[in-house]
Amino acid sequence: MADNTTVTVETAKKLGLLPEEFEKIKGILGRTPNFTELSIYSVMWSEHCSYKNSIKWLKTLPKEGPHMLAEAGEENAGLVDIGDGLACAFKIESHNHPSAIEPYQGAATGVGGINRDIFTMGARPVAQLNSLRFGDLELDRTKWLVKGVVKGIGDYGNSFGIPVLGGEVFFDEVYNTNPLVNAMSVGICNADKTISATSHGVGNPVFIVGSSTGKDGIHGATFASDDINEDSAKDLPSVQVGDPFQEKLLLEASLELAETDAIIGMQDMGAAGITCSSSEMSAKGGCGMDIQLDKVPTRQEGMVPFEILLSESQERMLVVVKKGREEEVNAIFEKWDLNCVEIGVVTEGNQLRYFMDGDLVAEVPADTLVLGGGAPVYEREFKEPAYFAEAKKFSIDQIEEPTDLRAVAESLMQNPNIASKRWVTEQYDSMVGTVNMSTNGPTDAGIVNLKGTDKALAVTVDCNARYVHADPEQGTAIAVAEAARNISCSGGEPSAITNCLNFGNPYVPEVYWQFVGAIKGMGEACRKFQTPVTGGNVSFYNQSNIGGKVEPVFPTPTIGMIGLVPDKKKGTTIPYKSKGDLIFLIGRSQNDIASSEYLVGWHGVRNSPAPHFDLDEELQLQASLRQLIAAGLVRSAHDCADGGLFVTLAEKGFTSGFGFDITTDSELRPDAFLFGEAQSRVVVTVDQVREGDFVDLLANAGTPFTLLGHVTKSEIRIDDQAFGDIQDYAEWFHNSLAARL
Amino acid sequence: MKFGVITFPGSNCDQDMIYVLETIMGQQVEQLWHKDPDLKGCEFIVLPGGFSYGDYLRSGAIARFSPIMNSVIEHARKGGYVLGVCNGFQILTESGLLPGALLHNANQKFICKNVHLKAQTFQTVLTNQIDLFKPLNIPIAHAEGRYHVDADTLESLNEYGQVLFRYCDENGKVDAAANPNGSVDNIAGVCNREMNVFGMMPHPERAADAELGNEDGKVLFESILNIVSV
């Protein structure tokens, strides 16, 4: 048996632990750990589970808000009070490393894992969002990854029965080896019927429910805490296999369980399986646990203790049941034909004791394993990378103005980062659950109908990683601002965020500098918007070590935000509503093309600063926009984002068939006016008869705005020059991605 | 009218159907569990969409063996009404209550989007209130929705007015371009010859709530209630 292996510092290093961490473990136990114990520490102290290199900075993020029911780290996901006795549980998580070597299962189990985080709290998942990053679309590997990831997300989520309400797909060569797959789930529950991930009450039985335990995903958390390299394909057993049907059954059974008061707590098994759930629940409740590993239903014969402990087999939960209520719990799982097996008991003290056939195979104190307990916390050094100062030297004057703006517009429509992602999104069920209000009225944020109330929930994921790379602090503040802007454009008020922090190797000072900057920018923006950070996930080591050359991805702190639409009848959609409506830009145009798709795609300039951004301007813009929407003064709204103003105006035409006739600003370069990505701008349309009220409201608020022009039948005109018909742009926009895949 | 909506393990549109029947149409609805053969006196049985048993063998292939299906078949043989939507349609073809089979979509991908349909007959319980010239905007969401029957069966379906819906474009034109999944003859839904068992791939329950901005599917439910009230 593996437990008889002599454990040395070399064993520890092979499991991904540092020599000083091995010493620390010996200190905690007062002896040398056996192999099983060492395995337990290696996963629990892995970056993935312990946040050891990030927690110091994560603690600087704002956690409190007026509507928080559970703060970051308290439960599996953040919990926000949304009124009417309802609460919203939401979280985003990465599944980058598994997706890099097995895109279909990697992405599928990412969807499964994040949904379990939600329903383990007693909330029914109602919306899914995905934030995806891939490499150069010309590469066969990228196409393989895109097809696999999209099919994986679709097959899992469609069967599980959760609609996809939003997301983003971005392509850049920095993601060639390391794609990013971030999945977000949003759930709704009764605020007084939530389930906690805790354990207490000596003598209470501990159950494992759901799927049987197999050898898949062993050391997955450790695998996720290292670079991808030439040998990574050998780590294939580290990738878990998903079964959405089991997950659907587990969902229904868990929600029936939430209706009873028969349980103390429940936690899903994701990274580090039984080890993680038993230690985190015990540490939270301040008690110990005895677990009989031989009672765990397994998929194969002869699994040894460390395999059972570390297995990341999907669709499983650990449940602590009130003694005497076992039959109620059994009946629910029997109804859904799921395993429900008593494997242990809550004990006094803080020791976790794992037994196999009566033999004690591992004994460790619960609190020494977990974040906030004995898990190590490191301060990493950081250093400004050379490219940062270099980028600041950029000036728009270095870039020649194109003579044919129409050609630029045509090319942007077909740029994969701007073109329609319909090829992707039509493979996802976006309507199951009959809550998606954005299907027939497209909105900047996904809008979830809260049936039986006047409200709706707004959900979005955003991050322009190019901006974050250009300036981590400002770029991340922009990501928060853009998420909030999408919610404001849809008639909502931003409530709270979850984050998925995808970075390179934290031991590289330049990478860590990006991380620190991102956290600072996020913290500042979230404090201004009063959107606390409810939790999320850190994914380091997203860089590739190929032939000795290290290639980190763009720092990608994906922001998942929820907001509340107080009056769903006043939700505002993207499309133009009728010919002749006035088109206004709220916010200021700038002579700025920094970090735009136009600058990168058309001019081939990759290094420039983040685009113009001012947090106070942004707050004012959004406040005014929400006032306009509440007053019923705008007929459509859409923010200026990737591709700039022209793309925003065109997108407003695609679903309505209308065109636009506008005038540019003679004081700005027309390319900057049309294609620059300066932030804090929103395009709205206004009924001519409401123009006076519209202007008064903005003038009183002191919010800048410009009359751009008006909505046309289908023609596009700029400064009295014909730019073609909206239908042509729609064709390019809708068909280019499919054509390239 | 008492409706019964069956929940199979893996059904995921059962609650959507119940919401429309109960809250929007104001009908009495029983939620029926697949392990219980008792139809509880329901007059109109609905098999909702989803992935019964994960669709692991073949869509609908395992669900047809659920205990409740014997009762459903019995109910149908006696002339009772049965509607299957999406996975429900697949279960009805697997259990022989409806002709044909649902194959993988021609593009081999799951497709979720709004499509247009034209009702082909108003002489059924499900379609009697529908304007045959008005294309209905109703979404599909399936990976195995390509309706297939052999040529002889197709001819008899047409002859006996068993084709309920065909995919069309927004102007009502039925052609290959408007066929989202490669179904034979653009067929989106059929009924049995006795016209009491109905199956369709599109989801009318996803287009019946004013709050979602599309009520084109509501007319199917209105048709059902119209016949019953006569």
Side-chain angles (χ1 to χ4, degrees), chain A residues 326-407:
Chain A
E326 294 89 339
E327 275 320 299
E328 261 172 86
V329 175
N330 270 321
I332 290 173
F333 286 90
E334 194 177 321
K335 172 184 169 188
W336 292 99
D337 298 318
L338 289 168
N339 287 324
C340 178
V341 179
E342 186 173 336
I343 60 166
V345 63
V346 178
T347 60
E348 217 168 312
N350 68 344
Q351 291 295 103
L352 297 174
R353 300 195 303 167
Y354 301 105
F355 296 87
M356 189 79 179
D357 301 319
D359 296 332
L360 180 67
V361 293
E363 178 169 14
V364 289
D367 55 323
T368 66
L369 295 171
V370 302
L371 169 70
V377 175
Y378 298 129
E379 288 190 33
R380 296 255 74 86
E381 59 168 323
F382 50 93
K383 187 176 135 206
E384 183 183 298
Y387 77 82
F388 186 62
E390 205 48 44
K392 290 228 184 284
K393 294 180 189 160
F394 172 83
S395 157
I396 190 172
D397 300 331
Q398 297 158 359
I399 305 297
E400 199 178 330
E401 277 188 59
T403 48
D404 187 354
L405 292 169
R406 193 169 157 178

Side-chain angles (χ1 to χ4, degrees), chain A residues 666-730:
Chain A
S666 58
E667 292 181 9
L668 300 176
R669 277 174 55 153
D671 57 343
F673 185 85
L674 292 172
F675 311 122
E677 297 181 14
Q679 296 296 296
S680 314
R681 295 180 299 153
V682 169
V683 174
V684 298
T685 56
V686 178
D687 187 339
Q688 293 199 19
V689 301
R690 306 300 304 272
E691 185 185 6
D693 294 337
F694 172 84
V695 168
D696 284 349
L697 193 152
L698 289 179
N700 286 336
T703 303
F705 65 96
T706 319
L707 176 62
L708 293 174
H710 63 272
V711 179
T712 66
K713 185 162 169 269
S714 69
E715 193 190 13
I716 298 177
R717 292 185 74 81
I718 299 175
D719 292 335
D720 277 334
Q721 300 212 341
F723 260 63
D725 192 277
I726 191 75
Q727 283 312 329
D728 295 329
Y729 288 88

Side-chain angles (χ1 to χ4, degrees), chain A residues 157-229:
Chain A
N158 297 343
S159 173
F160 177 63
I162 182 165
V164 173
L165 263 79
E168 41 176 11
V169 185
F170 180 85
F171 300 93
D172 190 279
E173 62 187 23
V174 296
Y175 302 105
N176 278 352
T177 309
N178 244 261
L180 301 183
V181 176
N182 296 176
M184 172 169 164
S185 177
V186 180
I188 304 283
C189 58
N190 288 320
D192 58 356
K193 288 244 169 85
T194 61
I195 301 175
S196 180
T198 191
S199 164
H200 52 74
V202 173
N204 278 330
V206 179
F207 282 72
I208 189 168
V209 301
S211 292
S212 298
T213 299
K215 289 191 182 182
D216 50 333
I218 292 169
H219 284 299
T222 311
F223 161 62
S225 305
D226 200 358
D227 295 356
I228 297 273
N229 57 41

Side-chain angles (χ1 to χ4, degrees), chain A residues 124 151 155 157-162 242-246 248-249 252 334-337 423 425-437 439-441 449-453 568, chain B residues 7-17 19-20 33-35 50-56 108-114 137 139-141 143 203 205-207 209 211-214:
Chain A
R124 179 176 287 279
K151 189 164 170 52
D155 281 1
N158 297 343
S159 173
F160 177 63
I162 182 165
D243 180 349
F245 173 57
Q246 288 291 312
K248 169 69 174 163
L249 303 183
E252 298 302 336
E334 194 177 321
K335 172 184 169 188
W336 292 99
D337 298 318
W423 184 91
T425 54
E426 281 186 357
Q427 296 187 54
Y428 304 150
D429 193 334
S430 56
M431 305 182 213
V432 60
T434 56
V435 292
N436 187 350
M437 296 179 74
T439 306
N440 302 302
N449 189 17
L450 296 172
K451 288 175 183 170
T453 77
K568 63 189 172 196
Chain B
T7 300
F8 295 95
S11 293
N12 63 30
C13 304
D14 45 343
Q15 296 305 322
D16 303 350
M17 185 61 81
Y19 182 77
V20 169
W33 178 238
H34 77 113
K35 285 182 190 173
F51 288 72
S52 55
Y53 293 94
D55 278 354
Y56 284 145
Q108 301 295 311
K109 290 189 182 70
F110 187 94
I111 306 168
C112 174
K113 63 177 179 182
N114 276 331
N137 179 21
I140 54 167
H203 287 268
E205 82 282 8
R206 295 185 180 188
D209 183 353
E211 290 186 341
L212 302 186
N214 177 10

Side-chain angles (χ1 to χ4, degrees), chain B residues 45-68:
Chain B
I45 305 297
V46 183
L47 283 66
F51 288 72
S52 55
Y53 293 94
D55 278 354
Y56 284 145
L57 175 59
R58 195 172 59 243
S59 298
I62 306 179
R64 60 168 289 211
F65 295 109
S66 267
I68 201 168

